[in-house]
Amino acid sequence: MGTELLAPLDLAFWHLESDAHPMHLGALAVFAPAPGVGAGNVSELLGARAAAIPRLRMRVKDVLLPVGGAAWFVDKDFDVRRHIERVRVTGVESRDEEGFMAGATRLAGELMERPLERGLPPWQMYLVEGADGGPFAVLVKLHHALADGMRAVAIGAGIFDEIAPLAGRARSAASPRRPRAVPPRSWMPGPRQVAGLALGRIEDLGRAFGVGASMVRASRLDPRGAPALTASSSGTRRLVTADLDLAAVQRIRRAAGGTTNDVLLAVVAGALRRWMLERGEALPPEDPRALVPVSRRRPGQPAATGNKLSAYLLGLPVSEPDPWRRLRTVRTAMDRNKAAGPFRGAGAVAVLADQLPSLAHRFGAPIAGNAARMLFDVLVTSVPLPRSALSLGGCPLRAVYPMAPLARGQSLAVALSTYGGRVRVGLVADGKALPDLDRLAGCADDEVAHLLTLLPPP
């Protein structure tokens, strides 16, 4: 793999980073032990598999052209041992999974505070060990310039054990697809190609102009969202996890209509409402806004490098006391977003970023980062995982908790993934701004339970 320029959106993420606001994604993967497999075996396996992924051997360097740009270069001094570290959870004397999880999430939050070293390939893995013979975890950190959620899952697929394809997904060997004849192509574009490229560029610029205008209209010069979600950064991070019953969420979806994601967004809104009221905080005069990322990758499209993202803006109806009305409000708003498409509206900030020159990202990143608070209050993202059971060195994967970075001026980011019949929720917060983050996780579980009680009898 040779030199490759960072795409505009990747470059934006690269320059948005500061010491207090590291721009890496994360995931805490928890595994059950397997007979004869020790921490040393797992560490060696992680190193061997990570080193075999070409993208993980590359680092970012500035380039002369385009001005302000950067590119991926193979790290000639790459040493995978710099990127994999063994850490141990203290105070865990037994193989108790609950005790290990409490220590592992606390440690993961502390490790998420550390920015990745920019002179090296921008990723890190930590093997989190507990008592000998007990569960263990792997904390993965990938810079957002390296991958979005979908690309991170593809990289993870190269780390986990090989899995059999899902039933019905494999093409029958008896009916192979015939290769399509491709006529020879000249390296010089023809008149139609030139016209097509020009038309596409005009359409891109027109789309970016529309997004920019929507952002101006949607920006709040005097944001009046929830005070709990607004904080000057302390540079600290805290991770708290929640586990929601997927079967219960799907029962609610069948009764209410819409999508599973609609239900989960309504659960987040209900949990925030409960949490604010419990801590004696007045509900905000304006419902907080969530930025809901949307993948721009098409089904069946190869997992290309870099970020392929857009997003929707969603008002989280915390002021609505009725859970079913909250759910209907969320569903209506998301239906409206989907009808408009991921390339329109103020939430499609990534689309606008893709049209800006490299120099704008280099010098405009601090301004853009500080402006995030004017557009949204909290990030709520869903990361899809394979439905097949996964393992590492024969050790079964029990849970995966995704983690999203915090924007400047914000104290909470919510990430969700479905695996093993559960919805795994990763709450990343500023460690000093939200000391009661555990209670917010409990409120999410309470909200699902309350919605179940409101369902009509079967």
Side-chain angles (χ1 to χ4, degrees):
M1 182 179 288
T3 302
E4 176 189 338
L5 285 175
L6 268 72
L9 183 55
D10 303 342
L11 191 63
F13 285 131
W14 187 250
H15 289 309
L16 276 170
E17 184 168 67
S18 67
D19 288 343
H21 292 91
M23 286 300 298
H24 49 252
L25 311 172
L28 183 67
V30 183
F31 297 88
V37 181
N41 306 115
V42 174
S43 181
E44 291 179 8
L45 183 62
L46 284 173
R49 291 183 178 174
I53 299 175
R55 175 59 65 181
L56 297 186
R57 303 175 67 93
M58 305 189 79
R59 67 187 185 97
V60 176
K61 291 173 60 177
D62 291 342
V63 294
L64 294 176
L65 293 174
V67 178
W72 293 103
F73 289 81
V74 174
D75 185 0
K76 296 180 180 179
D77 299 319
F78 177 77
D79 184 349
V80 74
R81 292 172 297 182
R82 294 180 179 179
H83 298 268
I84 297 178
E85 183 179 342
R86 292 172 61 175
V87 293
R88 182 171 289 276
V89 175
T90 58
V92 179
E93 304 297 338
S94 68
R95 300 178 183 179
D96 173 50
E97 186 170 342
E98 185 176 346
F100 171 76
M101 275 301 302
T105 52
R106 181 178 63 252
L107 182 58
E110 295 170 359
L111 294 172
M112 286 295 288
E113 295 176 9
R114 306 178 186 175
L116 294 163
E117 189 172 339
R118 293 173 77 87
L120 298 175
W123 64 274
Q124 192 77 26
M125 293 185 191
Y126 299 90
L127 176 58
V128 184
E129 305 171 52
D132 293 339
F136 67 92
V138 176
L139 173 64
V140 181
K141 292 164 56 175
L142 299 171
H143 199 284
H144 216 328
L146 176 67
D148 55 19
M150 292 288 286
R151 179 61 183 165
V153 171
I155 291 174
I159 303 296
F160 292 122
D161 297 340
E162 290 187 9
I163 56 175
L166 295 177
R169 295 276 181 93
R171 176 171 293 273
S172 171
S175 57
R177 177 180 295 173
R178 293 182 180 180
R180 185 174 59 182
V182 179
R185 300 175 64 182
S186 168
W187 65 274
M188 285 288 291
R192 290 185 179 180
Q193 289 173 293
V194 171
L197 291 171
L199 181 60
R201 183 59 178 162
I202 291 171
E203 290 175 347
D204 288 343
L205 292 175
R207 182 183 296 127
F209 180 82
V211 171
S214 296
M215 288 178 59
V216 171
R217 289 193 297 269
S219 294
R220 303 164 299 178
L221 296 178
D222 181 23
R224 295 184 298 163
L229 303 180
T230 308
S232 57
S233 177
S234 67
T236 61
R237 293 292 180 270
R238 188 168 181 222
L239 168 67
V240 169
T241 62
D243 291 88
L244 308 179
D245 186 353
L246 178 60
V249 171
Q250 291 175 337
R251 279 187 60 197
I252 297 166
R253 179 194 60 78
R254 286 192 294 269
T259 68
T260 299
N261 201 47
D262 293 341
V263 176
L264 292 175
L265 289 167
V267 167
V268 171
L272 286 172
R273 175 185 170 85
R274 288 171 176 268
W275 177 62
M276 292 173 188
L277 293 176
E278 282 188 9
R279 66 198 327 243
E281 185 175 310
L283 295 177
E286 180 180 311
D287 283 337
R289 286 181 183 173
L291 185 73
V292 183
V294 181
S295 176
R296 289 159 51 191
R297 302 180 192 274
R298 296 179 180 176
Q301 184 181 36
T305 58
N307 287 267
K308 300 289 184 182
L309 288 174
S310 185
Y312 297 139
L313 280 184
L314 172 70
L316 295 173
V318 300
S319 58
E320 172 55 61
D322 183 273
W324 284 110
R325 288 183 179 175
R326 280 199 298 270
L327 183 48
R328 285 195 296 271
T329 299
V330 167
R331 179 184 173 185
T332 300
M334 288 301 289
D335 285 347
R336 189 184 308 117
N337 280 329
K338 293 169 190 174
F343 297 99
R344 299 177 60 185
V349 289
V351 175
L352 179 60
D354 264 339
Q355 305 304 318
L356 296 178
S358 302
L359 202 59
H361 289 302
R362 181 176 293 273
F363 293 108
I367 299 174
N370 290 324
R373 179 70 183 88
M374 297 170 61
L375 197 62
F376 65 97
D377 303 287
V378 60
L379 177 74
V380 184
T381 182
S382 295
V383 182
L385 294 178
R387 296 181 182 179
S388 302
L390 303 174
S391 62
L392 178 63
C395 300
L397 177 67
R398 292 302 188 207
V400 180
Y401 300 97
M403 289 169 273
L406 286 182
R408 284 180 174 87
Q410 296 176 2
S411 55
L412 176 68
V414 182
L416 309 101
S417 283
T418 299
Y419 182 78
R422 309 287 291 178
V423 179
R424 314 290 181 172
V425 186
L427 303 171
V428 175
D430 184 285
K432 292 186 178 179
L434 300 184
D436 56 344
L437 191 62
D438 301 79
R439 187 56 208 137
L440 178 57
C443 287
D445 201 37
D446 294 344
E447 184 68 11
V448 172
H450 183 54
L451 282 165
L452 282 176
T453 65
L454 301 177
L455 291 179

